[in-house]
């Protein structure tokens, strides 16, 4: 175990001790696992020969995590212009970012490394094309050019598109709010639906994922082992809101959704940015009343 005073030298990737003030950048883009007193659990994974608080890495922007009754850990992750992800988090595994977004398929994403731009990156403008178009002097690496034996692809993406996709949809041209039209949902929290005596038949073993951008709950049904999604994600409870958090009542009958306050954009019925939300700063309840 290294002494924290030498953390920068001997704990570079990933750390074995809690980083001192100012050195926490080594924990960015990772899922940490720690004891209640902040110490490192003895069964944490070895990553590149180092045991630390880091449980999984290659993470871009995880917004929600949930355990299944069987102890499996699922996480939602916001992608760049494409490929929001649902991941099954496994110890010591690499989820690809920034080398891969979504699947390793060279589809509408490449790693543009602006930190290595010729002459420095100051003043170099990102055209927001997901690495498919970059200014001169910015090195670009295709997803297929990178490899790591610990890489894990997502269970599902929201959404993967091909290289012909335009990131400047005219529907979102007003005020150049093109990101609202990008093929993403901005997933927030995730809840596990196990059913219940008053629950929805057939929904057992599903994940419910809230969308900040689309005002929708997406239901992803899992196989009995919890390792594979079955079919497409089912969109539910659509409204012009930003869904921040979702929880399920103990009997499975009611799904509660927390919405954001005004100030951020949603998506209107035509797919364009919506500046007014229907139920800002509210708790919505969706109750199953039985088959009709």
């Amino acid at each position: 175990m290294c002494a924290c005073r030498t953390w920068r030298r001997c704990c570079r990737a990933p750390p074995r001790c809690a980083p001192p003030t100012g050195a926490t950048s080594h924990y960015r883009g990772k899922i940490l696992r720690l004891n209640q007193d902040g110490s490192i659990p003895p069964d944490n994974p070895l990553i590149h020969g180092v045991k630390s608080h880091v449980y999984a890495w290659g993470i871009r922007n995880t917004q929600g995590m949930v355990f299944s009754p069987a102890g499996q850990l699922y996480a939602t992750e916001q992608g760049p212009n494409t490929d929001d992800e649902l991941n099954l988090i496994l110890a010591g595994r690499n989820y690809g970012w920034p080398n891969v977004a979504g699947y390793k398929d060279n589809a509408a994403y490449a790693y543009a490394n602006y930190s290595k731009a010729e002459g420095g990156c100051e003043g170099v403008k990102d055209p927001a094309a997901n690495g498919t178009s970059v200014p001169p002097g910015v090195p670009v690496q295709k997803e297929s050019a990178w490899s790591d034996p610990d890489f894990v692809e997502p269970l599902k993406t929201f959404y993967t598109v091909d290289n012909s996709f335009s990131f400047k949809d005219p529907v979102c041209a007003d005020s150049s709010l093109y990101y609202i039209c990008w093929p993403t949902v901005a997933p927030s929290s995730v809840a596990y639906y196990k059913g219940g005596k008053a629950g929805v038949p057939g929904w057992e073993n599903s994940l419910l994922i809230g969308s900040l951008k689309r005002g929708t709950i997406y239901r992803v049904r899992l196989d009995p082992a919890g390792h594979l999604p079955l079919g497409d994600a089912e969109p539910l409870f659509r409204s012009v809101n930003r869904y921040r958090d979702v929880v399920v009542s103990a009997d499975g009958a009611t799904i509660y959704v927390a919405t954001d306050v005004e100030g951020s954009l949603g998506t209107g019925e035509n797919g364009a940015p919506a500046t007014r939300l229907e139920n800002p700063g509210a708790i919505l309840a969706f109750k199953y009343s039985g088959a009709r």
Side-chain angles (χ1 to χ4, degrees), residues 241-245 257-261 278-285:
N241 285 299
R242 289 170 54 86
Y243 288 170
R244 173 61 63 180
D245 198 9
V257 179
T259 67
D260 272 2
V261 297
E278 292 178 350
N279 309 103
I283 304 293
L284 308 181

Side-chain angles (χ1 to χ4, degrees), residues 85-103:
E85 296 179 1
L86 170 63
N87 288 305
L88 173 60
I89 303 300
L90 304 173
R93 304 304 288 271
N94 183 350
Y95 289 81
W97 183 259
N99 298 285
V100 175
Y103 307 113

Side-chain angles (χ1 to χ4, degrees), residues 32-50:
L32 308 181
R33 181 173 180 260
L34 56 154
N35 293 319
Q36 291 183 356
D37 63 359
S39 61
I40 300 168
D43 59 344
N44 265 14
L46 284 172
I47 302 176
H48 296 168
V50 175

Side-chain angles (χ1 to χ4, degrees), residues 88-189:
L88 173 60
I89 303 300
L90 304 173
R93 304 304 288 271
N94 183 350
Y95 289 81
W97 183 259
N99 298 285
V100 175
Y103 307 113
K104 189 176 172 183
D105 54 9
N106 295 332
Y109 174 80
Y111 174 32
N113 190 347
Y114 282 81
S115 69
K116 301 293 185 181
E118 293 180 10
C121 63
E122 186 174 353
V124 179
K125 186 176 180 180
D126 180 4
N130 234 24
T132 60
S133 175
V134 299
V138 175
V140 176
Q141 176 183 273
K142 289 185 176 182
E143 293 174 312
S144 60
W146 174 83
S147 65
D148 186 327
D150 292 325
F151 172 60
V152 179
E153 288 195 332
L155 295 180
K156 185 171 285 294
T157 64
F158 304 83
Y159 292 95
T160 299
V161 296
D162 62 32
N163 290 312
S164 65
F165 186 88
S166 172
F167 293 110
K168 291 191 174 182
D169 189 324
V171 171
C172 292
D174 188 27
S175 301
S176 296
L177 296 172
Y178 293 112
Y179 71 92
I180 294 295
C181 284
W182 292 348
T184 55
V185 302
S188 53
S189 70

